[in-house]
Amino acid sequence: QVQLVESGGKLVQAGGSLRLSCAASGRTFSDYYMKWFRQAPGKEREFVAGITWSGSTTTYADSVKGRFTISRDNVKNTLYLQMNILKPGDTAVYYCNAGEMYWGQGTQVTVSS
């Protein structure tokens, strides 16, 4: 069993930066392939970024590539999403996912124009 808790979401101006965190507890954090998803109002959930257990391989949605960076700290059992050059279109609830089995409750990110 793994519990995930996202934090760091807030209101930020377009062009600004924000760092989201996902604190994991329970089973060994390094056992899971980690992902970030997001869901905007009126839209379906979409994949944002993923990272392997070692952190050596990352993948990003085209909409965020070059602006967002996913990373993980297996010692601290924490997943991160560094978001730069934020756009209003990035406004959504961001969810942490572990091994496509466990989900956090999400953290709201709102980007103002």
Side-chain angles (χ1 to χ4, degrees):
Q1 184 67 42
V2 173
Q3 288 189 285
L4 306 171
V5 180
E6 302 94 336
S7 63
K10 67 173 184 178
L11 174 66
V12 63
Q13 291 183 259
S17 298
L18 196 61
R19 191 192 198 195
L20 305 183
S21 297
C22 171
S25 62
R27 297 176 183 172
T28 304
F29 181 69
S30 60
D31 286 346
Y32 302 98
Y33 184 88
M34 302 296 294
K35 297 178 181 178
W36 285 99
F37 289 82
R38 69 185 183 186
Q39 186 167 22
K43 293 188 176 182
E44 297 181 355
R45 182 187 65 183
E46 65 173 343
F47 169 80
V48 176
I51 187 169
T52 57
W53 71 270
S54 67
S56 61
T57 302
T58 58
T59 185
Y60 299 91
D62 290 341
S63 60
V64 306
K65 192 172 183 64
R67 300 187 298 117
F68 290 11
T69 302
I70 187 173
S71 62
R72 66 191 297 169
D73 187 331
N74 292 337
V75 175
K76 296 181 178 180
N77 286 346
T78 303
L79 178 73
Y80 303 99
L81 184 67
Q82 178 65 47
M83 305 183 293
N84 299 322
I85 319 176
L86 284 163
K87 305 174 180 180
D90 295 321
T91 296
V93 176
Y94 284 72
Y95 298 93
C96 175
N97 173 271
E100 299 185 334
M101 293 185 292
Y102 305 102
W103 295 87
Q105 294 302 304
T107 185
Q108 176 71 50
V109 173
T110 302
V111 184
S112 63
S113 60

